[in-house]
Amino acid sequence: QPEAKRKRFLQMKLALDWLIDTYPLCFNKNEPKPLKRRIEKDVFAELPEELPFSRLSIREAIAYYTRSPKYRQALIDNSHRYDLQGEEIEEILPKHQQLAQDQLIKFSERQKARAGTKKQLSKNQQIRSKKIPD
């Protein structure tokens, strides 16, 4: 199971790199643009015959890309979505911007909770190490 998961993740990363290389005006890790809804249909319409990954890997790559905090912030900060050529194609609905805002808040809360947990674990380890006699 872990090996299959790892392979699937690597295929998704390969697909994401391909999307970034093939459509640089649309996909950018550092400065993402809000994507046209259902953009995978446009990608599939132009898909070359032989690629080292599946259509599912492309879907997973797009999902991975759109879940990033930078992408969600781009949804909030922009007014339009973009097509594969980097052209404005449709307005971003306020409900989608609100959803992105809510998701960013949840992400931030999870990050703070994780940091608190790590801090507590570190404190517990320090206490235990002090209790161990030499």
Side-chain angles (χ1 to χ4, degrees), residues 115-130:
T117 301
K118 285 182 183 178
K119 201 176 215 180
Q120 188 60 44
L121 287 173
S122 177
K123 278 185 182 180
N124 290 345
Q125 288 172 342
Q126 288 173 0
I127 291 169
R128 277 192 229 118
S129 67
K130 288 179 183 178

Side-chain angles (χ1 to χ4, degrees), residues 9-26:
F9 179 77
L10 292 174
Q11 290 293 303
M12 180 279 299
K13 291 291 282 180
L14 189 62
L16 181 58
D17 290 342
W18 178 82
L19 287 168
I20 291 167
D21 291 343
T22 306
Y23 304 108
L25 298 174
C26 181

Side-chain angles (χ1 to χ4, degrees), residues 9-95:
F9 179 77
L10 292 174
Q11 290 293 303
M12 180 279 299
K13 291 291 282 180
L14 189 62
L16 181 58
D17 290 342
W18 178 82
L19 287 168
I20 291 167
D21 291 343
T22 306
Y23 304 108
L25 298 174
C26 181
F27 291 92
N28 183 318
K29 286 182 187 177
N30 297 322
E31 295 179 28
K33 291 181 180 180
L35 302 177
K36 172 186 169 187
R37 290 175 11 164
R38 312 278 184 260
I39 199 161
E40 71 276 4
K41 291 181 181 180
D42 297 348
V43 173
F44 294 154
E46 298 181 9
L47 204 61
E49 292 268 334
E50 292 185 32
L51 286 173
F53 48 82
S54 67
R55 287 175 175 244
L56 176 61
S57 294
I58 291 173
R59 283 193 173 99
E60 289 172 342
I62 292 170
Y64 180 84
Y65 181 82
T66 59
R67 285 187 197 118
S68 78
K70 284 184 181 181
Y71 179 84
R72 289 179 175 159
Q73 190 63 53
L75 271 176
I76 295 165
D77 295 342
N78 287 277
S79 60
H80 287 81
R81 293 177 180 272
Y82 295 83
D83 65 9
L84 294 175
Q85 290 72 40
E87 301 292 326
E88 286 184 0
I89 195 81
E90 60 190 358
E91 280 191 54
I92 300 172
L93 300 175
K95 68 180 182 180

